Amino acid sequence: MKFRIKLFIVLLVVSIIPIFVIGIISYYDNQRTITQHTLNNLEFFVDKEKNNITNTVNFHSDRLDFISNRAEILQTIADYKNSPTEINQQKIDETLEMIKNIVGDAEKISIMDEDGIVLTSTKISEINQKGQFYERFEEIKNSDQITIDYVLTNEGSPVVFFSKRLILNENNIGVIFLEFLPENIFGQINTNALGRTGEFSIAKKTSENKALLIFPLIIEEDTILQKTISMEKEKIPIVQALLKNQNSFLDLVNDKDEPILAATGYIENVDWGIIASVNKSEIFSSLQFSVWILIFVIAVISIAIVIISILLSQTIAKPIKDMVNVSNQITHGNLNIRSKINTNDELSILSNSFNDMIESLEKKIKIEKELEDSKNQLKNERVNTIGMLASQIAHDIKNPLYVIKNSIEIIRKKTPENEIIVREVNRVNRGIARISHQVEDVLNYVNPTQTKFEQTSLLKIIQSAIDTMKIPEEVIVTLPKKDIFVECDTEKIESVFNNIILNAIHAIGNTAGKITIRLSQDENNAIIEFENSGPNIEKNILPKIFEPLFSTKEKGTGLGLVSCKNIIESHGGTVSVRSNPVIFEIMIPIKQESNKKT
């Protein structure tokens, strides 16, 4: 990252973050204040309207209770019911008029007998007919309490009715109904105080366990008194109200799933829930102006910081850029370059220290190069000396080995019946074979022969290598099913395969095991894999396995795998090993480039 950008970021963090934090704190503090103020207003509105509705309901209930307890009214109803004469008709009409004067603003007054037949009504067409609310009549006439409900009339008009049974001398003589228009009960509710998105709703619970909206009245075709909300939607405030949770809420939604603030109330004697709510988008709209001011301030400060960072970076970035250039030159091996900064400040001191570092680096590289040259020279001399000595010793050992081997064979043939001699001869032969193998490793490493390329079957070479060695009975060797022809030195590749298979046998030891050989190829190379079931190779040993004179076997020379590596590399290929499971992988070209040229 460029210095100019870093400077800009630092200045931005130092100046913008405090302003941003203060702005965020102010925003949420204002939001909390507005929220609390709104909830207080909603609670006040709900309490006020709850009291108004309760007082109106109680007012009409008291008058109904007064009417149902007046003996002269009850006696008049009983007389008319028993003898509907003209005189009794006149009396009950006068009684109905008196009730109307007591009640005042009732839309309709009806008196029914105990069978639900209208005895008298302000609506004359209903007299001697079944009453409007006959389906609830049985429930009402058996109740000692005043029944209040919000329903539709037969004409489809919504009304709030109050009803109570009439008892004279402990006998049920009928039921009186008072019907009021909704505006007589809810007429004083003014929702303008709740704002543009404010809502005030009243609902009752239906027999289907739903909240039925009764205010505001939805007066549209086929929708009046049909808007219901499932009581399972507890995020809607009217449901909370009907659950008798009289509280204010921050996390509710309206029927359109819009976030709202809401306060709820419950009117016990009518089993109605009431709520007042307002959309959060409206009450928090005033905060948007604060957000835009904050964004404007941050934008102005950011522009100022960009200008300041550009001016400052011009005085600082140029010397640093020069030092970066010097550093790149050093990286590419040019140690003759020097930093030339004379600003009489910390950058100048840094420049001088940089130049001192370059000089120290020059001296160190020179010393390391001299040490490396001396080390390589010593190593080469040592390897050459050991190689000459090893070659001489190997040749000196080889001839006596043949003499010993021939003599032992003569002894074995002359005494084939002597088991002890045969056993000891076999032991000597195994020792001779081991010494011969180690001698061959030394000679192959010290005196590599010229590579002779010819097109050969890899499967045939693998089979030939296996035929020349003794495979223990408990070791199973699985050969590849397909064959690949490559240009290689057959004898040398066979010795490589022989060495790797022999190492696998030694790794498996005296236990049952398996050696799996696989052949595959890519576009240009043949791939030979030797997998054995022996123990895994330790991680610290893997990198050293192809180094000269390194061996994990007590009787190994440490030259076998090195010779294999040299042979494969002379073919232009690679050899590698991995553990878990142990797999030696050889990759050699299918076609040799040298042969193509010739």
Side-chain angles (χ1 to χ4, degrees), residues 4-18:
R4 182 178 299 173
I5 298 176
K6 289 184 178 179
L7 182 62
F8 170 75
I9 293 174
V10 170
L11 294 176
L12 196 66
V13 169
V14 170
S15 58
I16 296 297
I17 288 184

